[in-house]
Amino acid sequence: MSCEQAQLQIGADPSDHTPGLEEHVRDCAACRQFREEMRALDANIRRALERPPQLAGAPRLSAAWRPWALAASVLLAMLAVLSVWVLRPTDTLAHEVVAHVREEPDSWLHRQHVDAQSIDDALRGAGVKLDITSDRISYAQSCWFRDHYVPHLVVQTAQGPATVLILRNQRVNARQTFHESGMSGVIVPGPQGSIAVLTRGGAPVEMLAAQMQQDVRWLPDAP
Amino acid sequence: MRNSQPESPVSSISERLSGADPRASMTQLFESMRPDLLRFAHWLARDRSLAEDIVQESLLRAWRSRDTLKDRGAARAWLLTIVRREHARLYERKRLELVSLDEALDIQAAEKAAESDGDLFTLRHAIMRLPIEYREPLLLQILGGFSTEEIARELTLSSTAVLTRLFRARNKLRTICGMAPAPDVSASEVAP
């Protein structure tokens, strides 16, 4: 059994115990590691599937609990300030992403959605496609960043605008969270690069990043 | 003139039937599975009220063909299959649209406030956003407990195609959870 076959079987069913797979995994550290990761992921998938989204309801607090809720909010705010300090960027890529966005402050002022042609223009030459046609993209430019053209988008959300940079040529090994210059964001890995999502307000960057990971198609032949 | 009562959905059947009626135990069996069916339908349809409609219609269909269920031990898989087909019928009939970026952002942002575990939130959102061809076999496998061969039969796919889809579904979720994506498999999918 080849590693590709083993990983296909593991990815399809991490609990698979067929003799051929067991034999391969016993002798292949990479596939053994892959199986451990996929089993951990599967446990989380099972937990996630226990309750669909939207079934959750925020519990209402009685009047007696409100002072405690206020105290908890203050504590959370303090923790948030602390985490901003702790999570200040040490990564150069995150720093440069923030610096780039700061150079285009007008990007967050646009409110009208851009048309599909403008989005296509921003993506052209970046080696990516986007599977969304959102009328909340209010800014789409192709920007020069680290010797490559990258799409620079602004997505309007209920909590304010969020910037998305699709960085085909900038690989990261794992998700990176950062806070700098009043902006907070995340850089997530993609098959052939990474995606940076950041906001000055409370836009849901994690969720948007997760969505972009699904919606961005990385073309095989990048310029 | 009074019209005769139409055949009732399970919820009202249970009120009409006594414990001595053999149909009552069937009703109880169906009712006991309603939460599982609703959860399954919700993940498929990605909409709570739509899921309730699907489950109600499925239970009616199941009730009408209850005589074909010979083994009560297989009731869960049988009902899940009916729910899946009912969803597929609805999907074909109405050409249901995918949850849009904007809707998802609004719904999910409101939900996040009540969610304590950010990773699970992200994962739920990611599963919800999986294309139906990946989401469906994953749900059948994990929520339904179906084997690869059973999923292949239900979806009229080859076993290889099911393996590929399950692999890709998990690989997408893996990426979203911050792990490096595994190289995509080269096994060719067979069109449904």
Side-chain angles (χ1 to χ4, degrees):
Chain A
M1 178 180 284
S2 67
C3 285
E4 188 180 78
Q5 288 170 323
Q7 295 201 357
L8 170 64
Q9 256 179 269
I10 293 166
D13 183 2
S15 63
D16 194 350
H17 282 293
T18 50
L21 180 62
E22 287 300 319
E23 192 180 334
H24 178 89
V25 166
R26 201 165 43 240
D27 299 333
C28 177
C31 288
R32 199 160 52 242
Q33 164 84 14
F34 181 70
R35 181 158 80 169
E36 280 171 21
E37 289 173 1
M38 292 308 265
R39 282 182 174 173
L41 173 67
D42 224 40
N44 281 335
I45 293 174
R46 285 173 194 279
R47 283 177 61 209
L49 287 176
E50 282 170 10
R51 184 167 56 95
Q54 296 172 262
L55 285 180
R60 293 185 180 281
L61 293 175
S62 67
W65 281 97
R66 282 185 192 138
W68 291 104
L70 183 62
S73 301
V74 171
L75 184 62
L76 282 173
M78 290 168 68
L79 284 173
V81 170
L82 184 65
S83 64
V84 166
W85 185 80
V86 169
L87 296 173
R88 68 196 187 281
T90 53
D91 180 84
T92 310
L93 178 60
H95 178 75
E96 287 187 34
V97 164
V98 170
H100 174 80
V101 173
R102 288 187 70 191
E103 285 171 9
E104 294 190 41
D106 290 350
S107 63
W108 276 333
L109 302 178
H110 294 247
R111 287 292 179 269
Q112 299 294 320
H113 70 84
V114 294
D115 56 26
Q117 183 60 50
S118 302
I119 296 174
D120 279 346
D121 290 344
L123 298 176
R124 186 172 301 131
V128 294
K129 288 272 186 187
L130 209 49
D131 283 340
I132 58 170
T133 52
S134 170
D135 60 6
R136 294 221 180 156
I137 294 181
S138 57
Y139 184 82
Q141 290 293 325
S142 180
C143 294
W144 190 248
F145 182 85
R146 286 192 170 184
D147 302 321
H148 296 280
Y149 280 109
V150 303
H152 177 159
L153 311 172
V154 174
V155 179
Q156 295 295 329
T157 77
Q159 289 75 40
T163 293
V164 176
L165 294 178
I166 305 171
L167 307 165
R168 183 187 169 95
N169 295 286
Q170 310 300 326
R171 290 182 183 271
V172 295
N173 292 326
R175 172 193 307 268
Q176 297 172 12
T177 310
F178 59 87
H179 300 266
E180 184 181 1
S181 303
M183 298 183 210
S184 56
V186 62
I187 299 176
V188 292
Q192 293 174 50
S194 57
I195 302 166
V197 181
L198 60 159
T199 181
R200 282 190 305 190
V205 291
E206 290 283 350
M207 188 179 62
L208 193 52
Q211 177 158 5
M212 296 304 293
Q213 279 181 304
Q214 292 196 35
D215 290 337
V216 171
R217 282 192 287 134
W218 306 84
L219 302 178
D221 299 311
Chain B
M1 191 174 77
R2 290 177 67 182
N3 291 329
S4 59
Q5 288 289 319
E7 191 161 15
S8 305
V10 170
S11 55
S12 56
I13 288 168
S14 62
E15 293 163 9
R16 290 191 286 120
L17 299 177
S18 70
D21 192 322
R23 292 187 300 175
S25 63
M26 182 70 86
T27 303
Q28 270 187 336
L29 182 67
F30 284 10
E31 269 302 319
S32 70
M33 289 176 188
R34 186 187 279 267
D36 274 0
L37 301 179
L38 189 57
R39 182 172 54 149
F40 180 66
H42 194 163
W43 277 110
L44 277 179
R46 303 188 293 192
D47 180 274
R48 171 67 188 228
S49 56
L50 199 56
E52 285 172 350
D53 289 348
I54 289 170
V55 169
Q56 191 67 9
E57 184 61 30
S58 300
L59 286 172
L60 273 172
R61 284 181 188 276
W63 183 255
R64 286 177 196 136
S65 54
R66 61 189 180 276
D67 293 338
T68 62
L69 179 65
K70 303 299 179 198
D71 174 14
R72 289 192 166 211
R76 188 170 180 277
W78 182 66
L79 287 168
L80 286 172
T81 303
I82 294 173
V83 167
R84 192 205 76 77
R85 290 177 187 170
E86 186 57 32
H87 171 259
R89 257 192 295 276
L90 196 66
Y91 193 86
E92 281 303 311
R93 202 160 58 230
K94 294 190 174 176
R95 302 302 307 162
L96 294 174
E97 291 178 3
L98 295 172
V99 171
S100 74
L101 167 68
D102 304 333
E103 284 173 88
L105 285 173
D106 292 345
I107 293 168
Q108 301 293 324
E111 186 189 340
K112 185 151 191 177
E115 183 81 57
S116 59
D117 191 328
D119 289 344
L120 278 189
F121 167 82
T122 303
L123 201 48
R124 283 194 183 103
H125 172 72
I127 295 169
M128 197 174 77
R129 292 277 308 168
L130 279 177
I132 187 70
E133 64 265 29
Y134 297 135
R135 198 169 71 251
E136 199 169 36
L138 190 69
L139 295 177
L140 284 169
Q141 185 189 53
I142 294 184
L143 290 183
F146 288 76
S147 68
T148 303
E149 290 71 27
E150 288 169 333
I151 297 169
R153 268 200 302 279
E154 180 57 28
L155 301 181
T156 57
L157 291 169
S158 68
S159 292
T160 310
V162 172
L163 285 174
T164 306
R165 289 185 184 196
L166 287 168
F167 171 88
R168 287 183 178 157
R170 284 193 174 86
N171 205 22
K172 281 175 180 281
L173 298 177
R174 180 183 159 88
T175 310
I176 286 159
C177 288
M179 290 182 264
D184 197 16
V185 290
S186 57
S188 58
E189 278 199 76
V190 177

